């Protein structure tokens, strides 16, 4: 298996910038300018790109060099600093020609841009202002003290990049200018103005100034010669992350954000069209060169993106954060906190710029790989933060692919739910009335994995012989992503004619704690659902696709028998006391008959009778199991010597009949052979089926256990704790939604699916059906050998990709069925 972004290349050349982090970069085809942080950060280093040698240092700033930018013709270099000033340098003589400061204390000057057409410079400041300076009006400013910066800067003002502001003598023959109050837009943002960008907007005359800040929004400003900047538009990029860097390419605005996302706006519609999960930490720099966009991050990685917003290449030679980027015709240049500047070849025609393997660009596999790496084990307090990270990752995936998404709080101390929605296209000429609403249910939490018992690391997606191994690959992260990417692709292809909503919980493996309350509190998001779709089970075998139409329910209980004594020695007290473990054995012996049926009174009274239609559904299953004995399955019926009729009965016992299971017995004390334990505990579950009622079965079970215990001559006491309850679910194989699913499966696999039931349980599905008054359809993707909940869990890559196409066909088929109904 190939992971996305696995195509890396090596650095062509490395420059060392003394002892400073490389905060800023700018380059012509012959010269590279770099600015640093700290004691040496007040110098701008000038490098010869022909020989990769240091040419000179530009001295003058008193603080870190936060931004470098060049005039269009490359003859002026603008530098902004933590000393609150901007300097303009002649790139031929390397002399400072302007020293510009504000009439106010601005703090750090994070960004500077220059408009050649307006002959005006714009700066973004720590005090949230945007300021500008028209060089047509440049006039000498006579300061009140020899050091303008020290007279204006308050030494208690915090600086974004901490480093000493050193005092230096002012240079001679430098034009010193002050930005007047009339050229200051106060409070331009509700946060530091981290980045500025000049560019064009389709169908709009003149240059537009773009600004990004700590509040996350991006603002667009109209510019006119000799006039203040005019607020025009605000692009909402979310309040959860600062906008740290901006880039324009082919009518799209790229916004690098805190946390690792790149948000992309279409400047014709001003809509947020993508939120790429680009990096694992803050995106600190963006550069456009030719048809490619490059991003750099605090995670130490530089990435190259194509026109489809897909990553082509990765560079990761830096040992710390990548703080800055620039480019020439031949080189991408990155600067890092490791004090290094690295050169990467981006010459036209470089074969490394193209993907070497189509699988490397499979975004779904890349997302699955990242998601699997997060051990989202529910019910384990130590993994709570990983679960939350997994939920946020899923939210980001949904947003990146064009869905609305947010987190829904779960129960206190438990995991959140993830909500997302892909909306139906608005221009469907065949649409009459509202579009259908499809609610996709799933879970992102997983069962714990013992790494010692796995052939591969359980939380690292591993590809081998056509299978993807990893905890959650089949249950349930893989199928969830298949559904998400199916809806996203239909939306991108303008073929999504239904609303597809996602309800993904994080406590399914832990009894869905808090799920029902969370849904009730947000019921307005789900109450118009027409059908509920899930993919949380497996085929019966390996080769024939299946469609699941029923699940048993479950009641989990714990029986505890306690003595008033402490743990005792059998050689001292044996025969003189009532022993809890002996009492437990007697109670458990009265729960199950010799024929494996439950002894609970009334347990079988309300089972729905077998219809001829359902009985017929078992026939092709039995035929397949006898005619294809080589297929790997949970159990091999031929090995047991059963007949076809006996096999059908076994399947019914497993799927449509209730059962009672004793899972384990535990005792107190050191558990050696001489101790009489003071308490004994047993785990007992009951699987229930239509039309058994959970409340009735629970009541009968408790009464039966207490009656049995009451007949014992014992001094001990018993406790009955009902831990988890999940209702059964049974779908209608004849309704339109099952027919659409059947058709979609047959279209993909070239054969009709087997209609099967499952002996396991999904706590939420029956409750959602009742609450939303919507039918549920269950489309399994995995095979019987997927090892869900076991060691070496896996899913076949073919099944994952085909599963995505099945979901696409199913969603497309719903509109056809709706039209036929109307």
């Amino acid at each position: 298996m190939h992971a996305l972004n696995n195509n890396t290349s090596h650095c062509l050349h490395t420059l060392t910038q003394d002892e400073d982090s490389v905060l800023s970069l700018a380059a012509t085809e012959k010269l590279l300018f770099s600015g640093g942080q700290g004691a040496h950060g007040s110098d701008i280093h000038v490098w010869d790109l022909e020989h990769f040698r240091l040419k000179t240092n530009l001295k003058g700033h008193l603080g870190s060099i936060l931004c470098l930018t060049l005039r269009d013709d490359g003859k002026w270099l603008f530098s902004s600093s933590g000393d609150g000033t901007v300097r303009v340098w002649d790139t031929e003589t390397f002399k400072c020609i302007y020293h510009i400061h504000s009439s106010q204390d601005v703090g750090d000057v994070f960004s500077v841009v220059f408009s050649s057409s307006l002959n005006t410079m714009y700066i973004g400041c720590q005090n949230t202002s945007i300021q500008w300076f028209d060089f047509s009006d440049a006039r000498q400013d006579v300061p009140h003290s020899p050091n303008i910066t020290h007279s204006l800067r308050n030494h208690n003002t915090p600086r974004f990049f901490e480093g000493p502001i050193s005092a230096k003598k002012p240079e001679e023959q430098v034009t010193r200018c002050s930005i007047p109050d009339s050229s200051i837009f106060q409070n331009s943002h509700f946060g530091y103005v981290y980045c500025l960008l000049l560019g064009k907007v389709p169908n709009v005359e003149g240059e537009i100034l773009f600004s990004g800040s700590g509040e996350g929004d991006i603002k667009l400003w109209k510019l006119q010669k000799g006039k203040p900047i005019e607020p025009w538009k605000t692009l909402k990029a979310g309040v959860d992350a600062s906008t740290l860097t901006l880039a324009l390419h082919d009518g799209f605005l790229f916004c690098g954000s805190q946390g690792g996302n790149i948000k992309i706006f279409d400047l014709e519609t001003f809509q947020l069209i993508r939120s790429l999960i680009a990096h694992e930490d803050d995106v600190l720099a963006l550069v456009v060169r030719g048809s490619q966009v490059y991003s750099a991050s605090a995670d130490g990685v530089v990435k190259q993106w194509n026109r489809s917003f897909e990553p082509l290449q990765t560079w990761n030679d830096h040992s710390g954060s990548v703080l800055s980027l620039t480019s020439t015709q031949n080189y991408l240049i990155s600067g890092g906190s490791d004090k290094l500047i690295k050169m990467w070849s981006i010459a036209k025609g470089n074969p490394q710029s193209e993907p070497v393997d189509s699988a490397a660009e499979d975004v779904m596999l890349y997302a699955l790989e990242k998601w699997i790496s997060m051990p989202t084990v529910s019910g384990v307090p130590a993994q709570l933060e990983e679960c939350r990270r997994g939920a946020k990752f899923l939210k980001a995936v949904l947003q990146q692919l064009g869905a609305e998404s947010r987190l829904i709080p779960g129960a206190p101390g438990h995991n959140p739910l993830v909500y997302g929605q892909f909306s139906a296209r608005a221009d469907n000429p065949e649409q009459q009335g509202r579009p259908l609403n499809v609610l996709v249910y799933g879970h992102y939490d997983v069962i714990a994995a013992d790494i010692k018992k796995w052939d591969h690391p359980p939380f690292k997606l591993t590809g081998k012989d056509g299978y993807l191994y990893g905890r959650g690959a089949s249950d349930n992260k893989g199928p969830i992503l298949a559904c998400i990417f199916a809806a996203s692709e239909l939306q991108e292809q303008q073929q999504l004619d239904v609303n597809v909503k996602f309800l993904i919980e994080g406590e399914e493996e832990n009894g869905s704690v808090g799920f029902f309350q969370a849904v009730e509190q947000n019921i307005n998001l789900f109450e118009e659902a027409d059908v509920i779709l899930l993919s949380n089970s497996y085929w019966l075998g390996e080769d024939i696709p299946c469609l699941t139409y029923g699940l048993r329910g479950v009641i989990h209980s714990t029986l505890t028998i306690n003595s008033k004594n402490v743990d005792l020695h059998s050689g001292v007290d044996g025969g003189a006391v009532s022993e809890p473990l002996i009492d437990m054995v007697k109670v458990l012996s009265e729960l199950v008959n010799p024929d494996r049926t439950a002894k609970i009174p009334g347990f079988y009274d309300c089972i729905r009778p077998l219809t001829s239609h359902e009985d017929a559904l078992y026939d092709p299953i039995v035929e397949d199991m006898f005619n294809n004995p080589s297929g790997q399955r949970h159990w091999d019926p031929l090995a047991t010597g059963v007949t076809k009729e006996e096999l059908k009965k076994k399947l019914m016992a497993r799927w449509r009949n209730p059962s009672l299971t004793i899972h384990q017995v535990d005792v107190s004390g050191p558990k050696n052979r001489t101790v009489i334990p003071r308490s004994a505990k047993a785990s007992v579950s009951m699987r229930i089926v239509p039309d058994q009622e959970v409340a009735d079965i629970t009541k009968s079970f408790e009464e039966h256990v207490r009656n049995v215990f009451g007949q014992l001559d014992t001094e001990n006491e018993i406790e009955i704790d009902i831990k988890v309850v999940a209702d059964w679910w049974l779908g209608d194989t004849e309704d339109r939604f099952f027919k659409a699913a059947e058709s979609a499966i047959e279209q993909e696999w070239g054969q009709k699916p087997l209609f099967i039931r499952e002996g396991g349980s999904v706590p939420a599905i029956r409750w959602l059906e009742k609450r939303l008054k919507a039918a549920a359809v269950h489309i399994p993707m995995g095979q019987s050998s997927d090892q869900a909940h076991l060691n070496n869990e896996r899913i076949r890559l073919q099944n994952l990709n085909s599963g995505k196409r099945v979901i696409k066909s199913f969603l497309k088929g719903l509109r056809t069925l709706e039209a036929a109904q109307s």
Side-chain angles (χ1 to χ4, degrees):
M1 179 201 139
H2 296 271
L4 190 65
N5 291 344
N6 202 34
N7 180 20
T8 61
S9 62
H10 296 288
C11 175
L12 297 178
H13 205 94
T14 299
L15 304 174
T16 302
Q17 184 175 275
D18 292 337
E19 298 176 358
D20 308 320
S21 296
V22 185
L23 298 181
S24 52
L25 292 169
T28 66
E29 291 303 314
K30 294 182 178 180
L31 297 174
L32 170 67
F33 304 89
S34 64
Q37 173 185 3
H40 300 274
S42 54
D43 287 355
I44 299 171
H45 302 261
V46 184
W47 308 85
D48 179 356
L49 289 181
E50 182 178 358
H51 302 291
F52 298 107
R53 294 175 63 91
L54 182 66
K55 193 176 185 73
T56 188
N57 287 331
L58 308 183
K59 299 180 181 292
H61 279 295
L62 309 182
S64 300
I65 311 301
L66 303 180
C67 183
L68 293 170
T69 192
L70 288 157
R71 197 170 71 175
D72 291 344
D73 59 8
K75 293 184 177 181
W76 282 9
L77 173 73
F78 297 81
S79 59
S80 67
S81 170
D83 63 14
T85 70
V86 176
R87 288 176 176 265
V88 185
W89 311 82
D90 186 313
T91 58
E92 293 181 356
T93 65
F94 304 120
K95 299 293 185 181
C96 181
I97 53 179
Y98 290 96
H99 181 198
I100 303 167
H101 67 91
S102 175
S103 59
Q104 304 175 357
D105 183 6
V106 298
D108 295 335
V109 181
F110 290 115
S111 50
V112 55
V113 293
F114 178 76
S115 169
S116 296
S117 62
L118 300 177
N119 200 28
T120 301
M121 174 194 74
Y122 301 87
I123 62 173
C125 305
Q126 185 179 7
N127 73 345
T128 74
S129 69
I130 295 176
Q131 307 189 12
W132 56 96
F133 183 81
D134 188 341
F135 285 86
S136 303
D137 300 329
R139 55 184 180 272
Q140 184 75 16
D141 174 58
V142 180
H144 296 292
S145 69
N147 191 325
I148 297 173
T149 301
H150 273 296
S151 69
L152 288 174
R153 287 301 304 267
N154 180 343
H155 287 250
N156 294 322
T157 301
R159 299 186 300 280
F160 186 75
F161 286 100
E162 289 294 333
I165 294 183
S166 57
K168 295 186 179 181
K169 293 182 180 180
E171 311 86 22
E172 301 296 329
Q173 299 178 341
V174 176
T175 302
R176 301 176 183 278
C177 305
S178 177
I179 298 174
D181 289 345
S182 60
S183 296
I184 299 174
F185 197 107
Q186 301 281 13
N187 303 316
S188 63
H189 285 269
F190 292 104
Y192 300 167
V193 183
Y194 288 126
C195 47
L196 295 176
L197 179 68
L198 287 169
K200 296 283 188 178
V201 171
N203 306 317
V204 177
E205 293 184 359
E207 282 185 304
I208 297 296
L209 177 67
F210 300 81
S211 60
S213 81
E215 70 191 350
D217 291 346
I218 298 94
K219 293 191 177 182
L220 281 64
W221 310 80
K222 288 190 173 181
L223 307 177
Q224 295 186 59
K225 180 73 173 177
K227 293 185 179 181
I229 61 175
E230 177 186 352
W232 182 40
K233 290 183 180 295
T234 298
L235 306 180
K236 293 291 184 180
V239 297
D240 57 335
S242 301
T243 299
L244 304 177
T245 180
L246 298 170
L248 275 173
H249 176 52
D250 198 24
F252 297 100
L253 178 65
F254 292 74
C255 311
S257 300
Q258 182 182 20
N261 282 11
I262 298 177
K263 300 176 182 181
I264 304 172
F265 290 86
D266 183 342
L267 291 181
E268 285 196 307
T269 64
F270 301 104
Q271 290 180 320
L272 178 64
I273 60 169
R274 286 287 182 91
S275 183
L276 301 176
I277 309 169
H279 292 273
E280 296 181 353
D281 206 340
D282 302 346
V283 180
L284 301 177
L286 291 168
V287 162
V288 174
R289 172 60 64 170
S291 63
Q292 312 298 334
V293 177
Y294 300 87
S295 61
S297 168
D299 64 7
V301 175
V302 178
K303 293 185 179 181
Q304 178 189 35
W305 305 83
N306 66 11
R307 291 177 180 271
S308 301
F309 314 132
E310 297 169 329
L312 292 178
Q313 195 169 193
T314 295
W315 295 276
N316 54 10
D317 275 20
H318 283 284
S319 60
S321 299
V322 184
L323 304 171
S324 50
L325 280 181
T326 191
S327 66
T328 67
Q329 183 176 349
N330 295 320
Y331 302 112
L332 177 70
I333 307 170
S334 59
S337 62
D338 54 5
K339 307 159 193 172
L340 299 178
I341 300 169
K342 292 184 176 287
M343 312 283 181
W344 318 89
S345 175
I346 55 171
K348 187 175 181 181
N350 177 11
Q352 289 184 333
S353 296
E354 300 300 324
V356 298
D357 192 314
S358 61
E361 289 197 60
D362 192 327
V363 184
M364 183 171 70
L365 290 186
Y366 174 65
L368 181 60
E369 181 180 38
K370 302 295 289 184
W371 208 13
I372 291 292
S373 71
M374 303 171 190
T376 53
V377 181
S378 58
V380 179
Q383 300 290 3
L384 190 61
E385 185 55 38
E386 286 294 336
C387 290
R388 183 165 292 275
R389 193 162 72 98
K392 289 183 177 180
F393 176 82
L394 178 58
K395 176 187 128 179
V397 169
L398 285 160
Q399 291 175 337
Q400 171 188 341
L401 295 175
E404 302 173 19
S405 183
R406 64 184 177 91
L407 299 185
I408 297 175
H414 292 273
N415 301 322
L417 291 72
V418 183
Y419 168 78
Q421 176 175 340
F422 292 93
S423 298
R425 59 180 174 139
D427 59 347
N428 180 10
E430 301 178 8
Q431 184 67 53
Q432 296 181 358
R434 71 164 178 85
L436 286 174
N437 290 301
V438 180
L439 177 62
V440 180
Y441 165 82
H443 65 93
Y444 65 84
D445 62 317
V446 299
I447 290 290
D450 185 349
I451 189 172
K452 297 178 182 179
K453 297 180 180 179
W454 281 60
D455 296 334
H456 313 281
F459 296 107
K460 180 180 179 181
L461 192 66
T462 303
K464 183 179 180 183
D465 300 328
Y467 287 87
L468 306 175
Y469 291 84
R471 177 61 86 215
S474 183
D475 184 20
N476 186 227
K477 292 179 178 179
I480 287 173
L481 288 177
C483 293
I484 290 173
F485 276 80
S488 172
E489 289 177 12
L490 286 176
Q491 186 180 69
E492 187 174 355
Q493 296 162 3
Q494 293 292 307
Q495 297 182 27
L496 187 62
D497 296 315
V498 297
N499 294 319
V500 184
K501 300 185 178 186
F502 288 83
L503 175 57
I504 312 300
E505 66 160 310
E507 294 283 347
E508 195 271 348
E509 304 290 10
N510 191 37
S512 293
V513 178
F515 173 81
F516 309 107
Q517 296 86 343
V519 174
E520 282 289 0
Q521 291 168 5
N522 297 271
I523 195 64
N524 60 299
L525 298 175
F526 313 108
E527 57 190 356
E528 291 189 347
D530 297 292
V531 61
I532 302 160
L533 174 64
L534 71 155
S535 180
N536 196 21
S537 65
Y538 319 94
W539 295 354
L540 181 62
E542 300 296 285
D543 306 318
I544 300 181
C546 297
L547 189 53
T548 302
Y549 68 94
L551 298 169
R552 293 196 294 189
V554 67
I555 301 169
H556 283 287
S557 68
T558 300
L559 308 182
T560 306
I561 299 178
N562 295 305
S563 168
K564 296 178 181 179
N565 302 312
V566 297
D567 294 323
L568 302 173
H569 193 293
S570 62
V572 177
D573 296 295
V577 297
S578 298
E579 299 186 16
L581 184 54
I582 291 177
D583 290 347
M584 181 63 77
V585 171
K586 292 177 180 178
V587 170
L588 297 179
S589 68
E590 292 299 318
L591 297 183
V592 181
N593 292 308
D595 63 355
R596 298 190 296 274
T597 58
K599 284 189 174 183
I600 311 302
F603 194 71
Y604 298 94
D605 289 352
C606 298
I607 297 176
R608 185 177 301 184
L610 178 68
T611 65
S612 58
H613 170 71
E614 184 183 0
D615 185 73
L617 294 177
Y618 286 87
D619 293 334
I621 299 172
V622 171
E623 288 298 322
D624 170 65
M625 296 179 107
F626 270 83
N627 295 332
N628 186 21
S630 60
Q632 185 180 359
R633 295 182 174 83
H634 292 303
W635 44 274
D636 185 354
L638 296 183
T640 61
V642 297
T643 65
K644 290 183 179 181
E645 193 59 33
E646 289 171 335
L647 174 56
K648 181 184 288 190
K649 290 181 179 179
K650 282 182 175 286
L651 289 172
M652 291 183 181
R654 180 181 168 190
W655 293 346
R656 75 172 320 276
N657 296 339
S659 64
L660 187 150
T661 300
I662 300 169
H663 298 279
Q664 62 182 14
V665 178
D666 197 10
V667 295
S668 62
K671 299 181 177 61
N672 64 45
R673 59 186 180 182
T674 64
V675 172
I676 300 174
R678 61 179 174 79
S679 70
K681 182 180 294 186
S683 298
V684 179
S685 76
M686 291 164 285
R687 298 288 172 171
I688 60 173
V689 298
D691 289 302
Q692 291 177 306
E693 292 289 340
V694 170
D696 293 343
I697 298 300
T698 301
K699 181 181 178 182
S700 296
F701 173 74
E702 291 182 345
E703 290 177 350
H704 178 69
V705 169
R706 292 194 184 279
N707 288 337
V708 171
F709 185 78
Q711 296 173 17
L712 303 179
D713 182 15
T714 181
E715 300 169 352
N716 299 321
E717 296 179 349
I718 191 168
E719 297 176 4
I720 304 172
D721 184 15
I722 304 300
K723 293 284 189 181
V724 177
V725 170
D727 210 348
W728 50 264
W729 166 72
L730 188 66
D732 180 2
T733 59
E734 292 297 300
D735 79 359
R736 54 179 175 155
F737 298 118
F738 265 94
K739 291 298 183 183
E742 181 182 15
S743 176
I745 293 171
E746 185 175 5
Q747 179 180 335
E748 173 63 26
W749 292 101
Q751 57 183 318
K752 287 185 176 295
L754 299 174
F755 281 83
I756 64 172
R757 290 170 70 163
E758 279 281 341
S761 306
V762 178
I765 196 65
R766 176 65 171 157
W767 183 87
L768 286 172
E769 268 199 335
K770 290 181 177 179
R771 183 63 182 85
L772 304 179
K773 297 180 175 61
V777 176
H778 194 166
I779 303 177
M781 292 187 191
Q783 300 165 291
S784 64
S785 61
D786 275 6
Q787 297 282 102
H789 288 205
L790 304 176
N791 304 325
N792 299 315
E793 179 182 344
R794 68 182 190 178
I795 190 169
R796 189 169 63 172
L797 182 58
Q798 179 186 358
N799 282 58
L800 187 64
N801 289 329
S802 291
K804 181 185 71 172
R805 291 191 291 269
V806 167
I807 300 301
K808 285 182 69 174
S809 297
F810 172 73
L811 295 175
K812 290 173 66 175
L814 293 183
R815 183 188 62 81
T816 304
L817 289 177
E818 180 67 10
Q821 290 266 324
S822 61

